[in-house]
Amino acid sequence: MKAVFKKTLVTVFASVTAISLFSVSASAATPKMYNFNNYTGSETVSADLQGDYTKFARLEDKNGEIDSKNYTVSGDEQKTTVTLKEDYLSSLENGEYTFNGYFENILNTYEFTAYENVGVSIPAGNDCEFVNLTVGETEVDNANYDIEKTSGGFVITVNGEYLQTLPENTSFFAHYYSDSMCSITLQVEKQSTNPSTGTEPTNNTSTTGKDTSLVSPKTGVNSYVPQIICVMLVSAGVFTLCILSGKYKNKKN
C-alpha cells in the first residue's frame, strides 16, 4: 500500500512539474520587443536587434511584407541593424506602428528538467528542426528519450531508466533550428508645415500678443509737424504786430 501511495505522489508531482515547465516554455516563446528611434520628419530611423544579420529574412507590418527597397539590413553575427529609409517614412502618417522582423533557420537552445514518464513541451514553432539533446556538453543517445512533433514544436520524454543514472534535477538542453520573430515599434511625430512654402505656419502677432499687422508704416512726414506749427505761430504774431503798428500810426497823425 505504501509503495502504491508513494508512486501516486511521484506521478502527481511529475504532472504538476510538467504543467509548470510548459508555462515557462510558453513565456520563453514570447517575441522579443524592440523600438525604432522616433521619426520627426527629416531623417532615417534604426533599430538594433539581437541575432545574425545574415539570417534576417523579412520585415512585415499589419498589411503584410514590406518591400526590401524601403529598408536596409546590416550588422554581424550577434547584432542586426534594420534602418527604414526616409522615402518610406515620409509616406507614414503621425502615430504608432508595429513591425515584425523574421529570422530564418536560427539555432536555439531550450533548458529543462526531466521527470520519469513526463513529456516536456518545447515551444519551437511549426517550422522547427530538432538537432539533439545534451546534458551539459554531452550528447544524449537518442535511445534514451522519445521525441514527438507537435503543431507548436515538439515534446521530449526522457526514459526513466536513464534518468536514474543521473543526479536529481539534472538540466537537459534541447537544440533545434527554427524561425524566430521579434516585434519593433515605431513612433511617427512629423511636424506640421505650411503646404505653400514648406515651412512651419507663422502669424503676425508680436511677443506681447498684440497684432502688429495693421500698423501704418512711418514715412517721416510727422517729424516736421512741430516746426510747421512754430512757423505759423511766428507768422501770426508778426502779422498781428504789423496791424497794431499801422493803427497806432494812423491815430498819431
Side-chain angles (χ1 to χ4, degrees):
M1 180 65 71
K2 290 184 178 180
V4 173
F5 180 71
K6 183 177 180 180
K7 185 176 182 180
T8 303
L9 283 179
V10 171
T11 303
V12 171
F13 175 75
S15 300
V16 172
T17 304
I19 294 173
S20 177
L21 283 172
F22 181 78
S23 298
V24 173
S25 300
S27 62
T30 301
K32 293 182 179 180
M33 308 292 292
Y34 300 94
N35 292 289
F36 286 109
N37 45 307
N38 291 357
Y39 176 66
T40 58
S42 60
E43 71 285 332
T44 61
V45 298
S46 300
D48 291 331
L49 318 178
Q50 183 179 351
D52 186 348
Y53 87 102
T54 63
K55 302 289 187 179
F56 189 83
R58 64 189 185 278
L59 188 67
E60 296 182 355
D61 62 9
K62 64 179 182 179
N63 297 317
E65 185 173 356
I66 296 175
D67 195 320
S68 58
K69 70 180 182 180
N70 292 320
Y71 64 92
T72 61
V73 179
S74 60
D76 52 34
E77 293 182 354
Q78 303 297 325
K79 183 181 74 173
T80 296
T81 300
V82 178
T83 302
L84 298 179
K85 295 184 178 180
E86 190 171 354
D87 288 345
Y88 171 74
L89 290 167
S90 63
S91 68
L92 302 178
E93 300 293 335
N94 285 354
E96 184 176 281
Y97 297 82
T98 300
F99 300 86
N100 292 328
Y102 292 88
F103 291 84
E104 289 184 344
N105 206 28
I106 302 298
L107 180 61
N108 298 275
T109 299
Y110 186 85
E111 181 180 1
F112 66 94
T113 301
Y115 296 93
E116 184 177 357
N117 300 322
V118 177
V120 177
S121 296
I122 311 298
N126 296 328
D127 300 323
C128 62
E129 179 185 350
F130 179 75
V131 178
N132 61 10
L133 183 67
T134 63
V135 174
E137 297 182 357
T138 303
E139 183 174 356
V140 178
D141 192 312
N142 56 17
N144 293 323
Y145 62 91
D146 297 322
I147 183 166
E148 177 186 357
K149 187 74 172 66
T150 64
S151 59
F154 48 88
V155 175
I156 293 179
T157 304
V158 181
N159 297 342
E161 293 182 0
Y162 173 68
L163 283 173
Q164 292 176 5
T165 66
L166 301 173
E168 187 177 359
N169 296 326
T170 295
S171 292
F172 290 83
F173 299 89
H175 306 277
Y176 58 93
Y177 285 103
S178 70
D179 294 347
S180 174
M181 185 194 80
C182 63
S183 179
I184 319 169
T185 301
L186 167 68
Q187 191 71 35
V188 176
E189 299 175 346
K190 293 186 288 187
Q191 303 295 322
S192 60
T193 58
N194 188 320
S196 61
T197 63
T199 59
E200 294 187 14
T202 58
N203 55 44
N204 293 322
T205 304
S206 67
T207 55
T208 59
K210 296 181 179 180
D211 190 353
T212 60
S213 60
L214 299 179
V215 176
S216 299
K218 293 183 178 181
T219 62
V221 175
N222 292 340
S223 60
Y224 295 103
V225 171
Q227 291 89 331
I228 295 173
I229 294 174
C230 289
V231 171
M232 291 177 63
L233 290 175
V234 171
S235 299
V238 172
F239 181 74
T240 302
L241 287 176
C242 290
I243 293 174
L244 292 176
S245 176
K247 289 182 177 182
Y248 177 76
K249 288 181 179 180
N250 291 334
K251 286 181 178 181
K252 188 176 181 180
N253 293 331

